[in-house]
Amino acid sequence: MRIVVADDSLLLREGLQLLLTEAGHEVVGSVADGPSFTATVLELRPELGIVDVRMPPSHTDEGLRAAVDVRRAWPEARLMVLSQYVEVSYADDLLATGDGGVGYLLKDRVSDLDDFLGAVQAVAAGGTVLDPMVVRQLMGRNRDPLADLTPREREVLSLMAEGKSNAAIAAALSVSLAGVEKHTQRIFAKLGLPPDDDTAHRRVAAVLRFLG
């Protein structure tokens, strides 16, 4: 198949090109930045575009944004995103259509040539291939943290939302003050509220999460 490759590392671009060529594919474009990837893919309309997430100038998520731009302009584009680390920004946009033809793999997977080439074929055929680490990050980010609260912790948070103090919550639930304090600390932890914030701030943040 015809493939466009984008990575700011010449060594990695050449390595991918050699790997893909030896597997019988044709690399019709090789670029080093996001805008060039977008322009080249939209011009050449290859069977697959492979792009690194972090590229110049900021080395954050240029490649992922470029993939999203391609997908918006050409919804049928088949795109494989590679990254050294999991970057979930813009990932929802890339996967939003649910049409398939999308892959998001960590670069470590490229070392397993059979798996990588299999993923390339799957994405080009319209499948969706996601690295297990990417799946975990996306699920962790989108999951409702309130789902982790126990029924008692939900009761405590509900009373906190009514403006009750720990002492008033203890009286309402017929538990000790120390028990309420333990529940509130667990609530803060499960909601991802850092311990270096003061307690009053965390109470407000917890209540906002509960009401939101």
Side-chain angles (χ1 to χ4, degrees), residues 48 71 77-80 95 98-104 119-130:
L48 181 69
R71 193 77 167 186
R78 307 309 197 205
L79 302 170
M80 171 75 77
L95 300 168
D99 293 335
V102 175
Y104 193 150
V120 164
Q121 293 283 3
V123 172
T128 299
V129 179
L130 298 179

Side-chain angles (χ1 to χ4, degrees), residues 8 32-36 53-63 65:
D8 64 310
D33 60 78
S36 296
V53 167
R54 296 187 175 188
M55 290 193 291
S58 71
H59 293 279
T60 53
D61 56 9
E62 284 83 2
R65 284 189 279 123

Side-chain angles (χ1 to χ4, degrees), residues 185-207:
Q185 291 304 313
R186 289 185 187 127
I187 290 168
F188 296 153
K190 289 181 178 180
L191 296 183
L193 302 173
D196 53 352
D197 285 348
D198 63 69
T199 301
H201 173 81
R202 286 195 289 171
R203 287 178 78 90
V204 172
V207 167

Side-chain angles (χ1 to χ4, degrees), residues 47-207:
E47 279 71 49
L48 181 69
I50 300 177
V51 58
D52 182 25
V53 167
R54 296 187 175 188
M55 290 193 291
S58 71
H59 293 279
T60 53
D61 56 9
E62 284 83 2
L64 196 50
R65 284 189 279 123
V68 170
D69 289 342
V70 168
R71 193 77 167 186
R72 286 172 178 165
W74 180 26
E76 297 79 17
R78 307 309 197 205
L79 302 170
M80 171 75 77
V81 175
L82 299 178
S83 180
Q84 190 69 39
Y85 310 98
V86 178
E87 298 283 354
V88 295
S89 59
Y90 290 93
D92 285 339
D93 288 339
L94 186 61
L95 300 168
T97 63
D99 293 335
V102 175
Y104 193 150
L105 297 179
L106 295 185
K107 287 184 175 179
D108 288 346
R109 304 289 173 184
V110 180
S111 61
D112 189 326
L113 299 185
D114 289 340
D115 282 355
F116 175 67
L117 293 174
V120 164
Q121 293 283 3
V123 172
T128 299
V129 179
L130 298 179
D131 192 284
M133 285 294 294
V134 175
V135 173
R136 284 197 288 271
Q137 289 275 359
L138 289 172
M139 289 182 67
R141 185 188 65 172
N142 294 326
R143 188 179 180 209
D144 179 9
L146 294 177
D148 289 334
L149 300 183
T150 66
R152 176 62 84 184
E153 288 164 352
R154 281 181 170 271
E155 285 183 300
V156 171
L157 185 52
S158 177
L159 292 170
M160 284 170 55
E162 294 176 15
K164 295 185 182 298
S165 66
N166 282 2
I169 293 173
L173 298 179
S174 299
V175 298
S176 68
L177 181 58
V180 172
E181 290 173 348
K182 286 181 181 179
H183 284 310
T184 59
Q185 291 304 313
R186 289 185 187 127
I187 290 168
F188 296 153
K190 289 181 178 180
L191 296 183
L193 302 173
D196 53 352
D197 285 348
D198 63 69
T199 301
H201 173 81
R202 286 195 289 171
R203 287 178 78 90
V204 172
V207 167

